[in-house]
Amino acid sequence: MTAPLRLALDRAALQHNWRALAAMAGVACGAAVKADGYGLGAPGVARILAEAGCRDFFVATWAEAAELAPLGLTVSVLHGVREADMALARTLTFARPVLNSPEQIGRWRASGGGPCDVMVDTGINRLGLDRNALDAAAGLEITTLMSHLARADEDVADNEAQRAAFAAITGALPAERYSLANSAGIALGPGFAFDLVRPGLALYGGIPRAEFARMIRPVAHPEAELLQCRLLRAGDAIGYNAIYHAAEDMPVGIVNLGYADGYPRALSNVGRAFAGDAILPVIGRVSMDLIALDLRAAPDLRAGDWVRFDFDLPKLAGASERSQYELLTGLGTRFERVWTERTVS
């Protein structure tokens, strides 16, 4: 069945973004593909990045790791191992746990041990081994020792404090390699790169810091089919709560897209779509699965035609008061995800 809603995904842009981040970092560059590849489809994202040269992939859970099993990639599971995860963790030999606590370390040792990653906390105070508990990791076969920056998208002293704390830990806990920087952390300078960087948001077109504005390309382009075209008469309102009234007679298109698909309700009377170069403003309230568009710039559009929605992540984040992460990971399951071979104009 052909869906009336699709996500045109730019393969060339995704690979470009990974290569640009790898070049900026100057060290090995992995990829965070958790949350179903930030909403774009983890298997497709991982396959395309592997073709570009990526060798390290990061997911949140063992269920996410299992989805990547057919690809034969190296995967790290950031949330470690619960007791309920152990059977699957021992089956998925391509995946390593990122051990976060003495309890997880003990569980891993009791099940036979082997190669693993370890997360240490340097100030974000989420998951991670406390600095006063490093002895719990002594003797582990640590492939990657990592930590996570809390404020890399800001210019604050906390970043250097975390970097220095992590550098001190690297001298106390041996590992094959060390990793600190996320997407934003890559832009903080070479001192934050260590041996491996772990970008996420910027891979998918997000701009966590101004340094990325000219180098990162958008990857996701929502497109929707016009279900109906109609004439809105001067003075008529459209949609819930009548928040838009036509100043003149105007053609209107109704598309199969709404907040159930991750298109923010806050973009009512604010968002826009495109038909070629023609700009089609969103008019009226964004509802659960329908949006109205002003077709005056493209009056020849008819039901069955497709339009592309503006998905400039920083601009949409500002307009909708939702983070760029939310906009990506909130893309719904009703989209048909289609990888294109060249950049969408």
Side-chain angles (χ1 to χ4, degrees):
M1 184 178 297
T2 301
L5 196 59
R6 66 191 178 208
L7 200 58
L9 300 170
D10 191 335
R11 169 194 172 101
L14 178 65
Q15 292 187 331
H16 162 84
N17 292 345
W18 180 80
R19 292 186 178 111
L21 292 164
M24 177 181 275
V27 298
C29 185
V33 295
K34 59 186 179 175
D36 196 27
Y38 280 52
L40 307 192
V45 165
R47 175 180 53 81
I48 289 166
L49 290 177
E51 291 171 2
C54 185
R55 295 295 176 262
D56 297 279
F57 297 87
F58 298 86
V59 298
T61 68
W62 289 95
E64 291 182 342
E67 290 180 355
L68 301 181
L71 301 180
L73 304 173
T74 299
V75 177
S76 296
V77 182
L78 292 164
H79 293 183
V81 279
R82 303 170 303 150
E83 187 63 43
D85 296 323
M86 287 309 307
L88 185 56
R90 284 305 182 185
T91 300
L92 301 181
T93 56
F94 63 91
R96 294 190 304 269
V98 180
L99 303 175
N100 291 287
S101 67
E103 292 77 14
Q104 290 189 357
I105 290 170
R107 190 173 295 133
W108 187 246
R109 290 191 199 272
S111 71
C116 60
D117 298 336
V118 171
M119 176 74 74
V120 293
D121 178 59
T122 55
I124 196 170
N125 287 310
R126 299 189 313 180
L127 293 178
L129 197 64
D130 290 341
R131 281 170 276 181
N132 60 5
L134 298 181
D135 288 348
L140 287 174
E141 297 178 52
I142 304 174
T143 301
T144 306
L145 181 69
M146 64 184 77
S147 191
H148 197 75
L149 294 164
R151 303 178 68 182
D153 56 345
E154 304 174 80
D155 292 318
V156 292
D158 286 358
N159 292 322
E160 174 55 26
Q162 282 196 259
R163 188 209 64 78
F166 186 62
I169 292 170
T170 65
L173 196 55
E176 292 181 18
R177 58 189 185 175
Y178 302 94
S179 177
L180 177 63
N182 54 2
S183 290
I186 293 172
L188 295 178
F192 288 80
F194 290 87
D195 303 308
L196 170 70
V197 294
R198 313 184 310 271
L201 179 66
L203 290 172
Y204 308 107
I207 309 294
R209 289 183 61 94
E211 291 90 337
F212 297 124
R214 294 183 180 274
M215 62 181 268
I216 295 299
R217 299 177 184 172
V219 175
H221 304 270
E223 298 178 344
E225 185 177 352
L226 286 169
L227 300 180
Q228 183 180 4
C229 294
R230 61 190 309 124
L231 182 67
L232 195 63
R233 299 292 185 181
D236 283 351
I238 192 166
Y240 286 125
N241 305 116
I243 66 170
Y244 182 88
H245 290 78
E248 60 185 51
D249 290 358
M250 58 187 290
V252 170
I254 310 300
V255 298
N256 192 109
L257 178 68
Y259 58 75
D261 306 297
Y263 193 81
R265 193 168 182 263
L267 296 180
S268 302
N269 282 340
V270 174
R272 59 182 188 169
F274 302 94
D277 293 329
I279 298 174
L280 313 175
V282 170
I283 57 174
R285 181 80 71 200
V286 173
S287 58
M288 184 180 292
D289 38 35
L290 292 172
I291 290 175
L293 298 174
D294 175 353
L295 300 187
R296 282 178 291 183
D300 294 332
L301 288 175
R302 295 292 179 265
D305 291 336
W306 287 76
V307 296
R308 175 171 51 91
F309 277 78
D310 183 9
F311 209 63
D312 182 303
L313 288 168
K315 290 181 181 178
L316 286 189
S320 66
E321 297 186 347
R322 292 174 59 183
S323 75
Q324 297 176 62
Y325 299 88
E326 289 178 88
L327 291 168
L328 281 169
T329 60
L331 293 167
T333 58
R334 294 191 291 190
F335 285 99
E336 178 185 2
R337 286 159 168 79
V338 180
W339 287 97
T340 62
E341 293 300 318
R342 58 184 178 178
T343 301
V344 176
S345 61

